[in-house]
Amino acid sequence: MASQDTKPFSTDKVSPASSNIEPAETGHVSNTRSRYRFNLAVRQEESSFAATKNASNADFDPIPPSKRTWNWGAYVAYWMADAWAVSNWEVASSMIAVGLDWRMAIGACVLGNTIMGLVITINGRMGATLHTPFPVLARMPFGYYFSYFVVLSRCVLAIVWLGVQTTTGGQCMEVLLTCIWPSFAHIHNTIPDGEGIKTGGMIAFLLYFLLQIPFLCIPYTKVQYFFAFKSVIAPIVFLAVFGDTLRRAGGTIAGSSVVTGGPKAFGSALTWAFFANLNGVLGNYATLGLNIADFSRYANKPSAQNVQAIVIPIIFTIVGLLGIFTAAAAETAYGTVEWNPITIIGYWEKSGTHGGRAAAAFAAIGLIIVTLGINISANSISAANDLMSFYPKYINIRRGQLLAAFIGSWAFVPWKILASAAKFLAFLGGYTIFLGPMTSILITDYYIVRRTNVSVPDMYNFHGMYRYSPKFASNWRAVLAFFIGCVPPLPGFVNNIVVAGKQTTGVSIGGQHLFAIGYIYSFAAAGLFYWGFNRFFPHLESKMDHPDTGEDIIAANDAKNVSMRRASYAEHKPSIVTRAFEV
């Protein structure tokens, strides 16, 4: 690990932040009584590199050795938990609708997920080495102030999708309640038409939201066990949907138009349709491509997260294939090409048999677990880290997750987004033109410009080397490269939103095509220009000849905290529930 190589360079240049660090007398392992006392300000660590309590907290600091609990199996479970989702099951539906055949759709999935797997693994190496969250790493290339814009851009997206996934979980809860009490389907509706939800759906949404709360409180040092549980449950549910649909279709999908039909577009139209859908696959996880450090920071060693490069394309391709084959079988079994597994489970419940209702109930429970896992793995922890960066004195990961859940589930009224807001969904889908440049600049800065020689203490010091400008505290090289990456595809982005609303624009075919490869273009352009700006206009004040991770301070304080925690447990043994939810 890089931090192990920092000590021999005692005479070389060191960061100004690390040379002035002294552990603050602000953090210690509290006694049993104070552990249950609520404080508005969250717990601080002695090892914090931040100069004030307003700048960091125990969750925002680099993860100490005792809490680096994720091995390679945890990352396999993480992506198993994330891949087995309704959205990934349906990913090929839009591709086939715009003219691709199923083979080209799978090809786009394989290529897109392979590229994104590499991006995630390369970017994740930063978090696995430095053990800092994405909002802190963003300060390195962007500077302190502009990094807040980058973090806010990611935060809003995570919160919105958290609400959308909560709505999907509410739909699963509605199926479950209807299976248990069939009369629930006929509950009197008191919500006005046009709101996108009925009384029964709102009750199910509320129950799912309340069910979600304790799962959001699972600490990051233990949440990988829930991912492992979901990685077993999810395949069982989706394979059951596929197997039963195939059985009802007579054991074959040969007669379905999904697999027998060829491409509906030809020539250049087919080529651009392929690239547009490839771009969609890349955009599907462009968010995690940017902030994967929020999870890779928990790695017990830097190489633990490398397995993502292999597991992402394999798992996502399997899920996409099963979605295609199930939709094909549904055409024979139910008379329609049905992509949504929740709808198929609803058919089981409507069969009227006790077996059908029981099967639907168990499947609904499984899908509820699936959506819980997705909201934790892809949305809530990421949003919590982002919110924490704005108010670290008062927001830790747990508070951030709960706050994001309330905002995403209620303030954004996600049921209306799913029901009617085609333009807003197009906006979310095209948002990748902003995420691509951010990801590329972060990777280019760490690996190429700085050659991994960075200072973690300076990332927490607002007057450190990454301030760049005394007045603006931003790196003009990163700002300019960001806009070079995202502005050219912007007309096509606007066109995509307008077309989703069934209107037209005057954007040229070239502008539309550039947006079709928006993530690829914005990623490549921003990275190239950022490298060029640093090549010809370097910021020498932030150049280092070795990494400074502050690992010795973190490890020493962690050993002290672990010892005190064990002594506290010996004196007052906590309950099983307390230990389960304690970080």
Side-chain angles (χ1 to χ4, degrees), residues 78-264:
Y78 173 87
W79 285 107
M80 284 282 286
D82 217 55
W84 291 96
V86 174
S87 58
N88 297 321
W89 184 268
E90 298 177 318
V91 70
S93 62
S94 59
M95 300 185 188
I96 294 175
V98 297
L100 274 63
D101 64 12
W102 73 271
R103 294 178 183 84
M104 293 185 71
I106 287 299
C109 290
V110 172
L111 180 58
N113 287 315
T114 300
I115 294 173
M116 190 49 62
L118 292 173
V119 170
I120 287 173
T121 304
I122 292 171
N123 203 4
R125 183 83 178 186
M126 282 183 243
T129 303
L130 305 177
H131 303 287
T132 54
F134 156 68
V136 174
L137 291 175
R139 297 168 180 173
M140 181 173 58
F142 293 102
Y144 300 111
Y145 288 169
F146 196 75
S147 72
Y148 284 117
F149 167 78
V150 174
V151 171
L152 181 63
S153 301
R154 168 67 184 106
C155 182
V156 171
L157 203 62
I159 291 176
V160 171
W161 280 117
L162 195 157
V164 169
Q165 284 293 338
T166 301
T167 303
T168 302
Q171 294 171 350
C172 299
M173 180 66 75
E174 189 172 8
V175 172
L176 175 61
L177 294 174
T178 304
C179 293
I180 299 174
W181 299 288
S183 60
F184 186 81
H186 308 290
I187 192 170
H188 177 64
N189 180 44
T190 58
I191 297 177
D193 294 337
E195 291 299 314
I197 196 169
K198 296 183 178 180
T199 300
M202 180 58 74
I203 293 172
F205 179 86
L206 175 62
L207 290 175
Y208 178 85
F209 174 79
L210 295 175
L211 173 67
Q212 184 174 239
I213 296 300
F215 287 91
L216 298 181
C217 294
I218 300 175
Y220 55 80
T221 53
K222 301 179 178 74
V223 72
Q224 71 269 28
Y225 302 118
F226 176 70
F227 292 152
F229 172 68
K230 186 209 160 180
S231 68
V232 174
I233 297 297
I236 293 174
V237 173
F238 284 103
L239 287 171
V241 172
F242 167 66
D244 182 78
T245 307
L246 185 64
R247 177 186 64 82
R248 294 172 187 269
T252 181
I253 58 174
S256 172
S257 61
V258 175
V259 296
T260 59
K264 300 180 182 63

Side-chain angles (χ1 to χ4, degrees), residues 225-496:
Y225 302 118
F226 176 70
F227 292 152
F229 172 68
K230 186 209 160 180
S231 68
V232 174
I233 297 297
I236 293 174
V237 173
F238 284 103
L239 287 171
V241 172
F242 167 66
D244 182 78
T245 307
L246 185 64
R247 177 186 64 82
R248 294 172 187 269
T252 181
I253 58 174
S256 172
S257 61
V258 175
V259 296
T260 59
K264 300 180 182 63
F266 302 94
S268 62
L270 180 62
T271 301
W272 283 109
F274 177 84
F275 278 113
N277 284 282
L278 172 64
N279 190 68
V281 174
L282 291 171
N284 196 28
Y285 279 89
T287 48
L288 278 169
L290 174 62
N291 74 294
I292 188 61
D294 288 339
F295 299 94
S296 62
R297 64 192 293 231
Y298 307 134
N300 59 0
K301 56 183 179 179
S303 61
Q305 60 94 44
N306 292 349
V307 71
Q308 296 177 116
I310 301 172
V311 73
I312 289 175
I314 292 176
I315 296 299
F316 280 81
T317 300
I318 291 173
V319 174
L321 272 172
L322 285 175
I324 291 173
F325 295 154
T326 303
E331 185 175 15
T332 302
Y334 300 110
T336 180
V337 177
E338 186 54 68
W339 291 94
N340 192 334
I342 300 176
T343 303
I344 294 177
I345 292 171
Y347 292 151
W348 298 355
E349 183 271 326
K350 292 176 183 177
S351 67
T353 65
H354 294 297
R357 283 172 54 192
F362 283 114
I365 292 173
L367 288 179
I368 287 172
I369 295 172
V370 167
T371 54
L372 285 171
I374 294 170
N375 253 351
I376 296 172
S377 63
N379 301 316
S380 69
I381 292 180
S382 300
N385 277 287
D386 296 340
L387 290 171
M388 188 166 52
S389 69
F390 295 105
Y391 301 103
K393 182 178 179 180
Y394 301 107
I395 300 177
N396 56 16
I397 287 183
R398 184 169 294 171
R399 291 182 186 180
Q401 285 183 277
L402 296 176
L403 181 59
F406 276 96
I407 296 174
S409 300
W410 301 104
F412 282 106
V413 285
W415 53 86
K416 295 198 72 171
I417 293 176
L418 285 180
S420 59
K423 289 184 178 180
F424 192 68
L425 289 175
F427 169 80
L428 293 178
Y431 203 77
T432 54
I433 65 170
F434 304 106
L435 301 178
M438 297 174 185
T439 307
S440 178
I441 290 169
L442 187 61
I443 291 175
T444 303
D445 184 79
Y446 181 71
Y447 288 103
I448 300 177
V449 174
R450 305 189 188 282
R451 299 185 184 276
T452 73
N453 295 322
V454 299
S455 169
V456 172
D458 276 280
M459 296 179 195
Y460 290 89
N461 183 354
F462 281 88
H463 298 282
M465 65 170 66
Y466 302 123
R467 188 173 180 85
Y468 294 101
S469 166
K471 181 177 181 181
F472 300 105
S474 299
N475 183 4
W476 66 265
R477 304 160 190 80
V479 175
L480 190 55
F482 168 75
F483 284 110
I484 290 174
C486 70
V487 169
L490 207 54
F493 174 57
V494 175
N495 176 77
N496 188 52

Side-chain angles (χ1 to χ4, degrees), residues 33-51:
R33 182 177 179 181
S34 63
R35 187 182 295 130
Y36 301 100
R37 185 182 301 158
F38 176 80
N39 290 312
L40 188 59
V42 299
R43 184 168 65 91
Q44 308 291 315
E45 287 284 8
E46 290 184 16
S47 63
S48 175
F49 300 127

